[in-house]
Amino acid sequence: MKVYTSAISPFGARVIIAARAKGIALETLKLPPEWRTSAEIRAVNPIIKIPILIEDDGTALPESETILRYLEDRFPEPTLLPATAEHRAQMNLLIRITDLYVSTPMIRLFPHLAPDGRDARVVEAEVAHWRTGLANLAWFMERPLDRPAGGLTLADCAMAPTFHLCGLIGRLLGLGDLLAPHGVIGDYCRQMEAHPVVGPVLADLTVAQAAMH
Ligand SMILES: N[C@@H](CCC(=O)N[C@@H](CS)C(=O)NCC(=O)O)C(=O)O
């Protein structure tokens, strides 16, 4: 299996974490130059977003959450699912809140990261949504989530790189640490940084993002 991604992509990092946790050999495909306008990428994902999983038969699968669930279905062991329906519901809720209410406003801020051409009204509105999303996610993270033996669920594959990106975007916008008010998120991030699979992936993101600067 192969994946189109970039070393700085937190969405790609989700897939890399799941693949490593499951021991799946996943080759990273080099993105073509100007990949956003390339025919190569358009041919496999007209949404023009990475990551894109490429199966051995050439089938392409975009969207990180869908890829995570596919990897879980195709390679069920070791599982990244909690044992009970209740805890799987909690896992699903955390993924949904992360993507709808934390990642979405953050992505809308991307065009405004460079001070030149930044629209202060858009930034103010999206940062407010982002802060609310984080507060709501923190509220739901207080509920217990029983993890399988490796200490990881699909929610961790999704949340850990998202929180890592929150740190970067907050700094680039001069907002400081948006995670600071939420002790549960801070504790969680420290736990993930110490995790033998997740920690190195987050460290690689940090190095790649620093190099981009
Ligand atoms: N919903 C998508 C979001 C993926 C996404 O936004 N990826 C970024 C890279 S981290 C991207 O491809 N952005 C398009 C661009 O940079 O033009 C997913 O979960 O895979």
Side-chain angles (χ1 to χ4, degrees), residues 9-11 14 35-36 48-51 63-65 107:
S9 171
F11 293 95
R14 295 173 168 196
W35 65 269
R36 294 174 183 83
I48 317 287
K49 283 190 190 290
I50 52 171
E63 291 298 317
S64 59
E65 185 189 345
I107 287 171

Side-chain angles (χ1 to χ4, degrees), residues 10-22 24 26 51 53 61-76 80-81 91 95 99 153-159 161:
F11 293 95
R14 295 173 168 196
V15 175
I16 291 168
I17 291 169
R20 288 193 190 168
K22 287 179 169 294
I24 303 165
L26 190 60
L53 189 76
L61 188 63
E63 291 298 317
S64 59
E65 185 189 345
T66 303
I67 298 171
L68 293 180
R69 293 190 186 276
Y70 172 69
L71 294 179
E72 180 63 34
D73 281 348
R74 171 113 190 256
F75 305 95
L80 297 175
L81 299 179
M91 177 193 80
I95 297 172
D99 274 351
T153 68
L154 298 180
D156 302 307
C157 300
M159 288 195 298

Side-chain angles (χ1 to χ4, degrees), residues 182-207:
H182 309 296
V184 67
I185 297 182
D187 292 347
Y188 173 80
C189 289
R190 280 184 285 280
Q191 195 186 321
M192 287 294 117
E193 280 157 19
H195 188 280
V197 172
V198 182
V201 177
L202 299 181
D204 287 350
L205 275 179
T206 302
V207 170

Side-chain angles (χ1 to χ4, degrees), residues 152-172:
L152 281 187
T153 68
L154 298 180
D156 302 307
C157 300
M159 288 195 298
T162 304
F163 290 139
H164 184 274
L165 183 66
C166 287
L168 176 71
I169 304 295
R171 285 193 297 280
L172 288 176

